[in-house]
Amino acid sequence: DIQMTQSPSSLSASVGDRVTITCRASQSIDTKVNWYQEKPGKAPKLLIYFSSNLQSGVPSRFSGSGSGTDFTLTITSLLPDDFATYYCQQSYISPFNFGPGTKVDI
Amino acid sequence: QVQLVESGGGVVQPGTSLRLSCATSAYTFTYYGMHWVRQAPGKGLEWVAVIWYDGNNKNYVDSVKGRFTISSDFSKNTLYLHMNSLRAEDTAVYYCARDLGHRIPATGIMDVWGQGTTVTVSS
């Protein structure tokens, strides 16, 4: 199985900050990485698929990059609505494992 | 708009069974694969199972293989998760999610999610 790791596990930031979250796969997975946002009591939300494709309706301050084993999610100019937990997930092969998550708080 | 609504969760004893349902609406159910994802209390997301759009291919995480079965009822536009031999470690919020792929093998990308149903396995 492909294992996903994320760093940092949590971070504190302020409104307006630029935030970068990294994700690493245990083996090369091309660009088959997706990013989700989760808020307490709400369903996860797809932000980015295939490493860099912005899901419809997601603000352009979110962006993704990477290929092979190393990937990043960047949020430029953090807004209050962006404080949440972010998960990467590989869709290269089943089981479609998630990373452990990165909590972004104030 | 596209909607997924899970139901069937509850409190059950170890070793018993439960069936979760995911009612879908506002899209053509037969065109999309579906997933179950769970989240144990205070933990991260764990992918559980997928079924392709045609219902002919299914995959599971190792921890549920042989105990859980994913299925689709195309006449009811509903996804199911049949869970047998439940264990305490199956305690979680269970989400159903639609696969992004349209009439293709499941991509593993989940673009629409339900609100979840809670399963608690406890004696």
Side-chain angles (χ1 to χ4, degrees):
Chain A
D1 295 356
I2 296 172
Q3 304 305 317
M4 307 297 288
T5 57
Q6 288 181 235
S7 62
S9 57
S10 65
L11 65 92
S12 295
S14 300
V15 172
D17 283 355
R18 177 188 180 94
V19 167
T20 298
I21 299 168
T22 64
C23 175
R24 176 164 289 176
S26 59
Q27 66 183 72
S28 180
I29 56 172
D30 192 17
T31 58
K32 301 291 179 63
V33 156
N34 316 299
W35 292 93
Y36 300 84
Q37 178 193 65
E38 188 193 39
K39 296 180 181 179
K42 300 189 76 174
K45 174 185 176 182
L46 176 66
L47 299 175
I48 303 280
Y49 63 95
F50 288 153
S51 180
S52 60
N53 292 273
L54 196 67
Q55 171 67 349
S56 176
V58 174
S60 58
R61 64 181 181 274
F62 292 92
S63 64
S65 65
S67 66
T69 60
D70 295 313
F71 303 87
T72 61
L73 172 71
T74 300
I75 312 170
T76 58
S77 193
L78 205 64
L79 294 183
D81 190 49
D82 301 335
F83 291 97
T85 299
Y86 294 86
Y87 295 90
C88 64
Q89 178 235 354
Q90 66 85 12
S91 54
Y92 184 79
I93 191 169
S94 173
F96 300 120
N97 291 328
F98 289 86
T102 296
K103 184 176 182 180
V104 177
D105 58 22
I106 300 173
Chain B
Q1 74 267 23
V2 175
Q3 198 168 13
L4 309 179
V5 179
E6 301 94 336
S7 61
V11 180
V12 296
Q13 294 191 333
T16 61
S17 300
L18 202 60
R19 187 186 76 169
L20 305 184
S21 301
C22 171
T24 73
S25 58
Y27 75 99
T28 306
F29 182 64
T30 55
Y31 285 3
Y32 293 85
M34 296 291 294
H35 302 263
W36 287 100
V37 175
R38 67 185 179 184
Q39 186 170 37
K43 303 295 185 182
L45 300 172
E46 179 184 32
W47 178 84
V48 174
V50 63
I51 185 167
W52 286 18
Y53 73 100
D54 58 6
N56 290 336
N57 286 277
K58 307 172 185 181
N59 289 102
Y60 303 89
V61 68
D62 281 351
S63 60
V64 309
K65 278 180 184 174
R67 300 189 301 123
F68 289 13
T69 301
I70 188 171
S71 64
S72 294
D73 185 333
F74 295 122
S75 67
K76 297 182 178 179
N77 294 334
T78 299
L79 174 75
Y80 298 103
L81 186 67
H82 306 259
M83 305 186 294
N84 296 324
S85 303
L86 282 161
R87 306 167 179 167
E89 54 265 36
D90 296 318
T91 294
V93 175
Y94 284 74
Y95 296 99
C96 62
R98 190 182 75 170
D99 193 87
L100 183 68
H102 178 258
R103 299 182 83 177
I104 61 173
T107 65
I109 305 164
M110 289 159 265
D111 68 337
V112 182
W113 295 64
Q115 289 300 308
T117 187
T118 301
V119 173
T120 302
V121 184
S122 173
S123 55

